[in-house]
């Protein structure tokens, strides 16, 4: 069985394809259990405990006893959980705090004895590489610089042509610096000195800065909340350089009381958010990127990605996720590719942004078949719009979700799609609607059955849309097919016609 077929096979036991990653970080200790296709594993369990292992690193050089006790308690639980889940593949990584602390090796020995876990203490270069791979796993064509801000360190990674080039690890963790209680002037000087010392760091005005780490993601969450942005998903959220610099100025101007009471800022991040903002501000003033793009993937996803075969890494993450969802929730998992081939000429004329989105929508166009008819459109829309997809931006996600909504309803009426429409231009919304109407016609004609569409043809002429059907399939035609063909043609400003093709 091919790897992808195995990944989509429901007969494969969940525990056989699950991997647990335990991340012993400078601020938190986290367990994530990943499941699903190898190229796009999804977290089916995710828990963290804020232990603060790195909070004294900048002053004492040691891991605090209380922090270590809290971490051991959490790790005992995580070890017991993965055993109960029957997960054989468990990866345990410790980062900057454990790597740099004078008592780090003793702490690792205690973990291994008390929790029966094999801990890998990552070097700075390894930590940076995994962060870069994590970004590439979710944004395959990322081009620019990755910044991964943790509690104990900052990793910087150069990305070019989807490959990692330079890396740097700096002792600029948000938790570490915040607990050193320096004045802002002195802190700014210290950060600037370390950033300036990275000799390969240079302006990238046509490229992007990809952001990893809980502290920096908190900035995105705050901006989403304060602006009323219609999609509460951090992954692939992007801000222009002027917008992110304005946000950083706003955060740096807050006093402690305002920081704690401001909606959208988690109390657990309030004590370190200004330090996180200051570090980003100094980096951005140095590299002046086109956009800042927040990544939901980081070190843990990079560790998994690093172990994949090259052939698996090259697979498209969005399409892998769409095929997996279709296999689990649709009736005919491979019907999407047949639908796409049938409508391809039409959506090219509709100027849909990339056949990529049309293929994704076609693949997902049957996922709500099991829902009560009155709720199918809304169910499919919410499932797609909020899904943890990689390899797609927020506007692309909206186009796919709206297209499948229109496939079920025939229009954008109802409240479900309102938020996503706010993300799109008028022309993009029209493209999504016409794509959805084409999907609607394809399912009406074929009944969702393989082999019918490939024997028919949808011809796009300058003023006319023609459906060609062989004579032996002419009984499939009816009022619904002709009506939906006409509606689709109307959306293009064309007339419609059905031709029954007789044999010679």
């Amino acid at each position: 069985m091919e790897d992808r077929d195995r990944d989509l096979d429901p007969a494969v036991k969940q525990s056989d394809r699950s991997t647990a990653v335990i991340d012993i970080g400078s601020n938190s200790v986290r367990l994530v259990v990943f499941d699903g296709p190898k190229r796009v594993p999804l977290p089916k369990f995710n828990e963290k405990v804020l232990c603060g292992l790195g909070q004294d690193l900048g002053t004492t050089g040691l891991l605090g006893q209380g922090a270590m006790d809290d971490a051991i308690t959490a790790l005992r639980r995580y070890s017991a959980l993965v055993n109960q889940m029957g997960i054989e593949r468990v990866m345990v990584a410790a980062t900057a705090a454990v790597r740099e602390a004078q008592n780090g090796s003793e702490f690792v020995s205690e973990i291994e004895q008390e929790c029966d876990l094999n801990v890998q203490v990552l070097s700075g270069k390894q930590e940076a590489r995994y962060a870069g791979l994590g970004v590439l796993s979710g944004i395959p064509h990322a081009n620019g610089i990755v910044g991964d801000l943790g509690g104990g360190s900052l990793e910087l990674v150069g990305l070019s042509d989807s490959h990692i080039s330079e890396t740097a690890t700096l002792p600029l963790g948000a938790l570490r610096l915040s607990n050193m209680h320096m004045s802002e002037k002195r802190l700014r000087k210290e950060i600037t000195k370390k950033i300036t010392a990275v000799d390969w760091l240079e302006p990238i005005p046509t490229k992007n800065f990809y952001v990893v780490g809980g502290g920096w993601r908190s900035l995105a969450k705050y901006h989403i909340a304060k602006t009323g942005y219609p999609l509460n998903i951090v992954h692939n959220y992007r801000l222009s350089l002027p917008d992110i610099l304005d946000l950083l100025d706003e955060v740096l101007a807050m006093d402690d009381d305002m920081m704690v009471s401001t909606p959208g800022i988690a109390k657990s991040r309030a004590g370190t958010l200004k330090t996180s903002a200051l570090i980003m501000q100094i980096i951005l003033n140095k590299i002046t990127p086109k956009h800042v793009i927040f990544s939901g993937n980081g070190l843990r996803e990079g560790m998994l990605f690093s172990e994949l075969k090259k052939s698996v890494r090259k697979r498209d993450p969005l399409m892998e996720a769409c095929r997996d969802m279709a296999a689990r929730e649709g009736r005919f998992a491979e019907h999407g590719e047949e639908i796409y081939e049938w409508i391809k000429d039409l959506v090219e004329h509709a100027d849909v942004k990339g056949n990529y989105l049309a293929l994704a929508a076609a693949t997902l166009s049957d996922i709500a078949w099991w829902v009560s008819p009155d709720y199918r459109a809304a169910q499919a829309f919410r499932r797609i719009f909020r899904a943890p997809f990689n390899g797609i931006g927020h506007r692309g996600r909206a186009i796919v979700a709206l297209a499948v909504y229109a496939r079920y309803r025939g229009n954008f009426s109802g409240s479900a799609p309102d938020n996503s429409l706010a993300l799109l231009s008028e022309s993009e919304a029209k493209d999504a609607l016409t794509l959805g109407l084409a999907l609607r016609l394809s399912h009406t004609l074929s009944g969702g059955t393989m082999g019918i569409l490939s024997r028919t043809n949808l011809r796009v002429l300058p003023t006319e849309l023609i459906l060609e059907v062989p004579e032996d399939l002419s009984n499939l035609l009816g009022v619904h097919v002709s009506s939906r063909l006409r509606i689709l043609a109307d959306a293009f400003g064309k007339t419609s016609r059905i031709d029954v093709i007789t044999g010679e």
Side-chain angles (χ1 to χ4, degrees), residues 90-361:
V90 182
M91 306 169 73
V92 186
T95 57
V98 176
R99 177 173 68 241
E100 296 181 28
Q102 297 172 25
N103 56 346
S105 58
E106 290 87 345
F107 179 54
V108 169
S109 296
E110 185 178 359
I111 294 171
E112 293 181 338
Q113 291 173 11
E114 294 285 331
C115 308
D116 193 27
L117 295 171
N118 183 24
V119 180
Q120 178 187 10
V121 180
L122 301 180
S123 68
K125 190 175 184 65
Q126 285 175 313
E127 191 173 350
R129 178 173 175 270
Y130 287 143
L133 289 176
V135 170
L136 288 173
S137 74
I139 310 174
H141 302 295
N143 189 22
I145 295 171
V146 172
D148 181 3
L149 180 65
S153 65
L154 167 67
E155 277 67 50
L156 296 170
V157 186
L159 296 181
S160 179
D161 298 323
S162 300
H163 290 87
I164 291 173
S165 51
E166 302 88 350
T167 65
T169 299
L170 305 175
L172 296 178
L175 183 66
R176 177 200 293 225
L177 294 179
S178 296
N179 281 274
M180 293 175 71
H181 305 295
M182 289 185 276
S183 67
E184 182 175 327
K185 181 179 179 180
R186 184 184 168 196
L187 182 58
R188 185 179 291 275
K189 183 178 179 181
E190 184 68 20
I191 295 168
T192 302
K193 178 182 177 182
K194 294 289 195 300
I195 296 297
T196 303
V198 182
D199 56 9
W200 57 265
L201 209 59
E202 58 186 22
I204 51 168
T206 63
K207 299 180 181 180
N208 300 312
F209 183 49
Y210 300 89
V211 170
V212 178
W216 280 347
R217 291 186 189 121
S218 293
L219 294 169
K221 292 176 182 178
Y222 170 55
H223 194 264
I224 286 171
K226 77 182 286 277
T227 59
Y229 187 75
L231 183 60
N232 191 23
I233 292 178
V234 169
H235 184 66
N236 244 321
Y237 187 65
R238 65 174 58 206
L239 291 172
S240 66
L241 182 60
D243 285 344
I244 187 67
L245 289 176
D246 286 346
L247 176 66
L248 295 175
D249 285 341
E250 179 184 341
V251 170
L252 290 171
M254 292 182 180
D255 59 29
D256 292 343
D257 291 339
M258 185 182 299
M259 186 74 71
V260 171
S261 62
T262 298
I265 296 178
K267 289 183 173 57
S268 61
R269 295 289 180 186
T272 58
L273 192 59
K274 289 183 73 169
T275 303
S276 300
L278 184 58
I279 295 170
M280 182 183 284
Q281 185 188 66
I282 292 169
I283 293 173
L284 294 181
N285 287 334
K286 170 78 172 177
I287 65 175
T288 60
K290 184 177 182 180
H291 291 101
V292 170
I293 300 176
F294 295 85
S295 171
N297 291 5
L299 181 140
R300 293 177 292 276
E301 291 78 10
M303 291 177 67
L304 294 181
F305 193 65
S306 71
E307 298 198 338
L308 297 180
K309 293 185 294 187
K310 287 184 178 180
S311 60
V312 179
R313 283 196 205 182
K314 290 179 180 178
R315 294 177 186 168
D316 183 85
L318 174 62
M319 292 314 307
E320 288 293 294
C322 289
R323 292 186 184 107
D324 181 59
M325 185 182 289
R328 287 183 285 107
E329 302 177 32
R331 288 172 293 181
F332 314 102
E334 297 304 321
H335 195 211
E337 294 185 12
E338 185 178 57
I339 293 172
Y340 168 71
E341 289 298 325
W342 191 73
I343 66 173
K344 186 166 62 174
D345 290 345
L346 184 67
V347 296
E348 285 177 349
H349 283 74
D351 195 28
V352 173
K353 285 192 172 181
N355 291 343
Y356 180 65
L357 299 181
L359 177 57

Side-chain angles (χ1 to χ4, degrees), residues 15-24 30-34 75-93 111 115-120 300 303-304 307:
S15 60
D16 290 345
R17 63 180 193 174
S18 294
T19 299
V21 180
I22 298 175
D23 177 3
I24 305 172
R30 184 188 292 265
L31 164 66
V32 183
V33 178
F34 292 95
L75 291 168
R76 283 198 191 100
R77 168 174 161 76
Y78 295 164
S79 180
L81 279 173
V82 296
N83 285 333
Q84 291 296 318
M85 291 177 184
I87 299 171
E88 297 180 1
R89 182 75 173 116
V90 182
M91 306 169 73
V92 186
I111 294 171
C115 308
D116 193 27
L117 295 171
N118 183 24
V119 180
Q120 178 187 10
R300 293 177 292 276
M303 291 177 67
L304 294 181
E307 298 198 338

